[in-house]
Amino acid sequence: GLTVYASVLDLKSLGAKELRQSCSSKLTLLEMDLTKGEDIQRVLHFIKAQTVMTGLWGLVNNAGFNDSLADAELTPLQSFRTCMEVNFFGPLALTKGLLPLLRSSQGRIVTISSPAGSMPYPCLAGYGTSKAALSLLMDTFQCELASWGIRVSVIFPGYFKTGSTCNTDFWKERKDQLLAELPPGLLEAYGEEYVEEINRQFLSYMKLAVEDLSPVVESITDGLLSPQPLAKYYPGRGLGLMYFIHHYLPCTARDRFLRAFFIHPQLPRALQPKPCEAPQKP
């Protein structure tokens, strides 16, 4: 029953085609790249023109990006920057641009964050830090906008099957590119087999991805339409246990749990015990 404006990276993509086929005539697709300020401004101008008479009830910040599985030291700076642009600065610019409309309607903001923004998941430094910044930003908006009547909700989904997150070819390509671009000293210290093992474990972890997205969709819907929406939602398996461990047990227990649950990197090559040399014959 709602009029929806949904952004996609490419209006000719398979995802855009699927949306046109499965959604009602109340859906309007807009092409937008959150790393491009001119795209954001064009969409803001369009939304303001379309809602000047009706008002804008809700904003859902859903875009998310990650292209690196590696220790923070091995992750290229550009990966950190791209994650911040898509996962933090893009939603920040879009939210700030739409706040005048949301204030006038006393509307809702719903944002998809990640458990990786609350806990130090192994090999997700770039993605996790951007989501941590996003979560804190939304917590800040929650406090600042309450007096305007705007409700802000943040969703922390578990591992659901979406886009490139479960594309084996994508992650193999990223792993090969990382190995090709690592400085020789870092590659020698960690070893090629270290990066290969991280990739192997993650591909195995993909089998746990949940295909049914309804728990996340229901959380978004509740954040938009419930008379008293929750400030935080945690759809997904095992998240309650993870947050209990994170907040109430020592860091060593939390880190051990995350490695057992997600990725457990082997020792870097430089830290592995050297094989004993055979004794010299006299």
Side-chain angles (χ1 to χ4, degrees):
L2 298 178
T3 298
V4 178
Y5 301 95
S7 69
V8 292
L9 274 174
D10 184 358
L11 289 174
K12 299 177 181 178
S13 66
L14 292 177
K17 181 180 178 181
E18 181 182 349
L19 284 172
R20 291 191 187 96
Q21 292 174 344
S22 62
C23 296
S24 74
S25 58
K26 288 180 173 289
L27 173 78
T28 299
L29 293 182
L30 304 172
E31 191 169 85
M32 179 173 65
D33 184 338
L34 281 173
T35 66
K36 297 179 180 178
E38 60 272 21
D39 277 20
I40 294 175
Q41 291 305 313
R42 174 172 44 79
V43 167
L44 288 174
H45 181 76
F46 179 85
I47 295 295
K48 290 173 182 177
Q50 295 298 312
T51 60
V52 65
M53 299 300 294
T54 62
L56 178 69
W57 172 249
L59 165 65
V60 178
N61 290 306
N62 178 60
F65 177 80
N66 181 41
D67 68 348
S68 185
L69 284 170
D71 292 44
E73 187 178 14
L74 301 180
T75 302
L77 278 177
Q78 185 56 47
S79 290
F80 279 92
R81 291 192 175 102
T82 305
C83 281
M84 289 298 294
E85 286 292 338
V86 177
N87 302 339
F88 176 75
F89 285 112
L92 171 61
L94 201 60
T95 303
K96 282 171 64 68
L98 293 175
L99 273 178
L101 295 172
L102 292 166
R103 281 193 283 105
S104 63
S105 64
Q106 294 189 326
R108 306 286 176 83
I109 299 171
V110 180
T111 298
I112 309 297
S113 187
S114 169
S118 301
M119 292 174 276
Y121 275 70
C123 307
L124 290 181
Y127 177 74
T129 50
S130 66
K131 287 294 189 177
L134 179 66
S135 298
L136 184 58
L137 172 68
M138 291 302 152
D139 280 349
T140 303
F141 276 141
Q142 187 180 75
C143 296
E144 295 177 348
L145 299 175
S147 58
W148 292 94
I150 296 178
R151 301 291 183 88
V152 180
S153 298
V154 185
I155 301 174
F156 297 85
Y159 187 36
F160 288 86
K161 188 175 183 179
T162 60
S164 62
T165 59
C166 291
N167 186 329
T168 55
D169 292 335
F170 172 81
W171 289 113
K172 183 180 183 302
E173 179 183 332
R174 295 302 305 164
K175 180 257 299 179
D176 292 341
Q177 184 174 350
L178 176 65
L179 287 172
E181 296 176 354
L182 276 179
L186 270 183
L187 185 59
E188 176 60 29
Y190 281 85
E192 182 177 337
E193 64 278 4
Y194 182 88
V195 178
E196 293 280 1
E197 177 61 15
I198 288 171
N199 189 262
R200 186 196 67 77
Q201 289 188 36
F202 182 71
L203 294 184
S204 177
Y205 181 73
M206 282 183 186
K207 300 173 184 176
L208 301 176
V210 179
E211 294 193 25
D212 178 14
L213 299 176
S214 59
V216 182
V217 175
E218 289 168 4
S219 297
I220 294 172
T221 304
D222 191 65
L224 285 173
L225 302 180
S226 172
Q228 296 292 332
L230 298 176
K232 290 181 170 60
Y233 296 84
Y234 301 96
R237 296 181 301 205
L239 290 183
L241 175 61
M242 290 167 59
Y243 277 93
F244 173 81
I245 292 173
H246 174 59
H247 289 290
Y248 296 104
L249 295 183
C251 292
T252 52
R254 176 204 63 194
D255 296 346
R256 195 174 296 124
F257 177 81
L258 287 175
R259 288 171 178 264
F261 176 74
F262 184 52
I263 289 177
H264 193 300
Q266 63 185 30
L267 277 176
R269 179 186 295 168
L271 297 178
Q272 293 179 8
K274 301 295 186 291
C276 296
E277 297 182 0
Q280 295 289 331
K281 290 185 177 181

